Amino acid sequence: MTLAPSDTALVPFVSVDHMMRLVHHVGLRPMLRGLAEYIEQDFRRWELFDKTPRVASHSAQGVIELMPTSDGEVYGFKYVNGHPKNTREGLQTVTAFGLLADVGTGYPVLLSEMTVLTALRTAATSAMVARQLAPATDTMAMIGNGAQSEFQALAMAELCGISKVRLYDIDPAATEKAMRNLAGTGIEAVACRSSEEAMIGAGIVTTCTADKQYATILTDNMVGAGVHLNAIGGDCPGKTELHPGILDRADVFVEYTPQTRIEGEIQQKPEDFAVTEMWEVLTGAKPGRTSDRQITLFDGVGFAIEDFSALRYVRDALPGTGLGQMLDMLADPDDPRDLFGMVMRAA
Amino acid sequence: MTLAPSDTALVPFVSVDHMMRLVHHVGLRPMLRGLAEYIEQDFRRWELFDKTPRVASHSAQGVIELMPTSDGEVYGFKYVNGHPKNTREGLQTVTAFGLLADVGTGYPVLLSEMTVLTALRTAATSAMVARQLAPATDTMAMIGNGAQSEFQALAMAELCGISKVRLYDIDPAATEKAMRNLAGTGIEAVACRSSEEAMIGAGIVTTCTADKQYATILTDNMVGAGVHLNAIGGDCPGKTELHPGILDRADVFVEYTPQTRIEGEIQQKPEDFAVTEMWEVLTGAKPGRTSDRQITLFDGVGFAIEDFSALRYVRDALPGTGLGQMLDMLADPDDPRDLFGMVMRAA
């Protein structure tokens, strides 16, 4: 009898360090492309998924959420917190980890950090959507230059042919950081002094600001015909970025309507405000962009299926890389009824 | 600048091996007593807890559940599966792991295996309840001699003064295994050939059988006046162990009524069937046992707060033991807005 855990009892774990190594092993742009492919695959088989709303535990300081989903063969969930005040204490506003399990046995098959991975999947989702909806353009305005901004720029470059990014943030230090990070990526970055200036010539306008409030980052008269708005910073109740007038002039595309009505820009609108779910565009059930003058708006809030796709990608990318660490996470007695004997023999 | 993860980014992980070492470091009986104290503490402050029903993902093969709760300062959840067919493939029916996080920051503070820990907390809960409700007795009948049986015996010995356990299982091999495991524990174990024989002289009757069906392990005429029934095997929809007539003769005590009405023995009864929640007994709000002739019945299904208490216990017991392994689970850039820079510098 061996006391070493058996293979079935070990769960591969991808640490933050290993996730970063995986990014460099695959390459950031190819990894964003790969993630977008996995997300698109899962959006195309949308109806197959068990779509539970996220389970939130709210406190005065923030929120902790569990986001589970399943395609009937694989189960996944993400743990994610949102604590806006954390930044003031030198901590991340959002940290996350996730897990995949085999539906057939209930055994976990992957545990992974998801702070880095969520940043990647959020950018990959935006670019996957923009590839469907945006006009032909080489320029993106990036309003809000926080932790997500460079990932957005790279994903839009990789999937939508963006070569110029016009940056604006109310904090010039954030813009300077993004300028530094984008130097050498092959993307031409321009620091702008206002949102209006950032939007000059941009076919894609990404808003990703952090303040939890009903903010108006874009007013109605700023948005010209034909652009694609990628609004990803309005992502929880009480947090929006766009003037409601923009929503009336745009065709609005969402991930999962019940969640977006609570968390997205459309929380400013009545329950029957018309939206199209992106999976319907991808399967051809509904049209995407239909004219050059149309304003398309992706009201992105982040949905569990995107995390599921990202974890699937990591699971498939891991073999042969030497990355991932085996965790002895599951008890596996020789006789499943003899847990007590296993514990006692460990003495 | 260092690329090593900072202290705040590391989460202590307790593997199965380390959990077993912790059991031997503390001692199994003292650990069961300690767990019972933590569980009782948390039951006494029951009203403080955020009590979400478990979030279940069902499939033809089994169920995967997330069980979150919070006391306003600490958040916890358990991942647990239930796959009855797993045993036939040499896998555990139930595997589990859990996590504690700081409500103030949302940062995880403990990740732990919970297959072994759940077995311990289930037994500790039963004994904590029996200490309140059971008559004075030195004998327990243990009907169903699977993975939970020896833990029940030890916990009842430690907390309720049980010195004799009368074992019965439809599979004699299970009883033989329990007899072997209990040898040398100081508990006198007797193998019986029927439930009736096992119940002779027993003041506490524990039923813990595994088949997922409406089974009748105990019929009405088998249960005499004055005993305490600890019915823990009826713990999901469609799985019960007791004849409904027993429920009519007993005073029924539960953990959390909304969950027990779905999962417990009382699923056989109408929605208004009278029950007492155990926290009410512990705080003195409601009576427990009131007479020598009374049949008390603990309809235990396992509740999230017990897992929370068990994780709290482990967190407090860990320091100084050398157990636990630090996992690099949370990204922690020097500048929280510069996740991209952190990823790029890892190259």
Side-chain angles (χ1 to χ4, degrees):
Chain A
M1 177 178 313
T2 169
L3 289 173
S6 72
D7 283 354
T8 50
L10 296 175
V11 180
F13 166 65
V14 180
S15 67
V16 176
D17 179 49
H18 280 201
M19 184 62 75
M20 295 193 295
R21 286 174 199 241
L22 183 65
V23 172
H24 292 288
H25 179 86
V26 176
L28 177 54
R29 285 178 60 150
M31 186 157 167
L32 287 164
R33 178 176 288 276
L35 286 165
E37 300 305 335
Y38 272 64
I39 295 166
E40 185 170 325
Q41 280 167 19
D42 287 340
F43 271 56
R44 286 181 187 276
R45 57 194 191 111
W46 187 263
E47 289 165 291
L48 220 117
F49 280 87
D50 187 4
K51 290 172 283 290
T52 324
R54 50 179 94 188
V55 186
S57 177
H58 293 276
S59 67
Q61 303 99 319
V63 63
I64 296 175
E65 297 177 326
L66 299 174
M67 299 165 73
T69 191
S70 165
D71 69 0
E73 292 185 2
V74 179
Y75 168 94
F77 81 85
K78 177 164 86 167
Y79 169 103
V80 60
N81 75 296
H83 286 67
K85 61 140 195 77
N86 272 6
T87 310
R88 293 197 299 273
E89 299 161 19
L91 301 174
Q92 287 286 104
T93 302
V94 173
T95 63
F97 71 91
L99 179 118
L100 288 183
D102 177 17
V103 167
T105 63
Y107 273 47
V109 296
L110 177 72
L111 178 72
S112 177
E113 86 81 33
M114 285 195 80
T115 311
V116 173
L117 188 60
T118 298
L120 299 175
R121 76 83 163 130
T122 300
T125 301
S126 281
M128 184 276 285
V129 169
R131 185 164 59 177
Q132 295 293 323
L133 299 179
T137 182
D138 64 355
T139 304
M140 175 169 83
M142 182 74 233
I143 300 170
N145 302 153
Q148 176 61 203
S149 58
E150 302 94 338
F151 296 104
Q152 286 284 331
L154 269 286
M156 292 292 186
E158 178 66 20
L159 278 96
C160 304
I162 290 296
S163 58
K164 295 176 198 155
V165 176
R166 299 177 64 81
L167 301 164
Y168 172 69
D169 196 291
I170 47 167
D171 180 0
T175 304
E176 281 161 32
K177 175 224 52 161
M179 290 291 288
R180 269 197 311 277
N181 282 333
L182 291 173
T185 61
I187 296 171
E188 181 188 330
V190 180
C192 301
R193 277 161 302 178
S194 68
S195 298
E196 288 84 347
E197 188 186 335
M199 288 167 74
I200 294 170
I204 298 175
V205 177
T206 295
T207 57
C208 187
T209 58
D211 266 0
K212 183 171 174 175
Q213 57 181 322
Y214 292 107
T216 305
I217 306 303
L218 298 189
T219 56
D220 197 7
N221 61 0
M222 288 164 70
V223 180
V227 303
H228 174 65
L229 298 176
N230 175 42
I232 54 173
D235 62 354
C236 64
K239 183 163 183 285
T240 61
E241 297 182 317
L242 305 184
H243 187 278
I246 299 172
L247 301 176
D248 294 323
R249 288 170 56 215
D251 287 303
V252 178
F253 298 83
V254 303
E255 291 141 313
Y256 180 55
T257 312
Q259 186 179 319
T260 311
R261 290 214 190 275
I262 296 167
E263 302 175 1
E265 294 298 329
I266 58 170
Q267 67 186 275
Q268 307 179 66
K269 290 291 178 184
E271 272 299 298
D272 60 352
F273 184 81
V275 298
T276 302
E277 295 193 341
M278 271 313 296
W279 71 272
E280 299 174 292
V281 176
L282 289 161
T283 59
K286 296 267 178 79
R289 172 169 292 273
T290 51
S291 91
D292 290 350
R293 305 276 308 158
Q294 185 185 17
I295 299 170
T296 50
L297 165 58
F298 175 51
D299 188 1
V301 297
F303 187 56
I305 291 176
E306 295 149 24
D307 300 311
F308 179 92
S309 313
L311 289 168
R312 277 208 307 120
Y313 177 89
V314 170
R315 184 196 57 186
D316 292 352
L318 219 50
T321 61
L323 300 171
Q325 152 189 9
M326 299 309 280
L327 290 191
D328 166 27
M329 205 164 144
L330 308 175
D332 189 43
D334 297 335
D335 171 359
R337 288 187 306 191
D338 196 12
L339 195 61
F340 186 89
M342 183 185 80
V343 172
M344 288 302 108
R345 284 190 292 272
Chain B
M1 176 181 314
T2 168
L3 289 174
S6 72
D7 284 354
T8 50
L10 295 176
V11 180
F13 165 65
V14 181
S15 67
V16 176
D17 179 49
H18 281 201
M19 184 63 74
M20 296 193 295
R21 286 173 199 241
L22 182 64
V23 171
H24 293 287
H25 178 86
V26 176
L28 177 54
R29 284 177 60 150
M31 186 157 166
L32 287 164
R33 177 175 289 277
L35 286 165
E37 299 306 335
Y38 272 63
I39 294 166
E40 185 168 326
Q41 280 167 20
D42 286 340
F43 271 55
R44 286 180 187 278
R45 55 195 193 112
W46 187 264
E47 288 166 292
L48 221 116
F49 280 87
D50 187 5
K51 290 172 282 291
T52 323
R54 50 180 94 187
V55 185
S57 177
H58 293 276
S59 67
Q61 303 98 320
V63 63
I64 296 176
E65 296 178 326
L66 299 174
M67 300 165 72
T69 191
S70 164
D71 68 0
E73 293 186 1
V74 179
Y75 168 94
F77 80 86
K78 177 163 86 167
Y79 169 103
V80 60
N81 75 296
H83 286 67
K85 61 140 194 76
N86 273 5
T87 310
R88 291 197 300 274
E89 299 161 20
L91 301 174
Q92 287 284 105
T93 301
V94 173
T95 64
F97 70 91
L99 178 119
L100 289 182
D102 177 16
V103 167
T105 63
Y107 273 47
V109 297
L110 178 72
L111 178 71
S112 177
E113 85 81 35
M114 286 194 80
T115 310
V116 173
L117 189 59
T118 299
L120 299 175
R121 75 85 163 128
T122 300
T125 301
S126 281
M128 184 276 285
V129 169
R131 184 163 62 177
Q132 295 294 324
L133 300 179
T137 181
D138 64 355
T139 304
M140 175 169 83
M142 182 73 233
I143 299 170
N145 302 153
Q148 175 61 204
S149 59
E150 301 95 339
F151 297 103
Q152 286 284 331
L154 269 288
M156 292 291 187
E158 178 66 20
L159 278 96
C160 304
I162 290 296
S163 57
K164 294 177 201 158
V165 176
R166 299 177 64 80
L167 301 164
Y168 173 70
D169 196 290
I170 46 166
D171 179 0
T175 304
E176 282 161 32
K177 173 226 48 161
M179 290 291 289
R180 271 197 311 276
N181 282 333
L182 291 174
T185 61
I187 296 172
E188 182 189 328
V190 180
C192 302
R193 277 161 302 178
S194 68
S195 298
E196 287 84 346
E197 188 186 334
M199 288 167 74
I200 293 169
I204 298 175
V205 177
T206 295
T207 57
C208 188
T209 58
D211 266 359
K212 183 171 175 175
Q213 57 182 322
Y214 293 108
T216 304
I217 307 303
L218 297 189
T219 56
D220 197 8
N221 61 0
M222 289 164 68
V223 180
V227 302
H228 174 65
L229 298 177
N230 175 41
I232 54 172
D235 63 354
C236 65
K239 183 163 184 285
T240 61
E241 297 182 316
L242 305 184
H243 187 278
I246 299 173
L247 301 175
D248 293 323
R249 289 169 57 214
D251 287 303
V252 178
F253 297 84
V254 303
E255 291 141 314
Y256 181 54
T257 312
Q259 185 179 318
T260 311
R261 290 214 190 275
I262 296 167
E263 301 174 2
E265 295 298 329
I266 58 170
Q267 67 186 274
Q268 309 179 66
K269 290 291 178 184
E271 272 300 298
D272 60 351
F273 183 81
V275 298
T276 303
E277 294 193 342
M278 271 314 296
W279 71 271
E280 300 174 293
V281 176
L282 289 160
T283 60
K286 297 265 179 79
R289 172 169 291 273
T290 52
S291 91
D292 290 350
R293 305 275 308 157
Q294 185 185 18
I295 299 169
T296 51
L297 165 58
F298 175 50
D299 188 0
V301 296
F303 187 57
I305 292 177
E306 295 149 25
D307 300 311
F308 179 92
S309 312
L311 289 168
R312 278 207 306 120
Y313 177 89
V314 169
R315 184 195 57 185
D316 292 353
L318 219 51
T321 60
L323 300 171
Q325 152 190 8
M326 299 309 280
L327 289 191
D328 166 28
M329 204 164 145
L330 308 175
D332 189 41
D334 297 336
D335 172 0
R337 288 186 307 191
D338 196 12
L339 196 62
F340 186 88
M342 183 186 80
V343 172
M344 288 302 108
R345 285 189 292 273

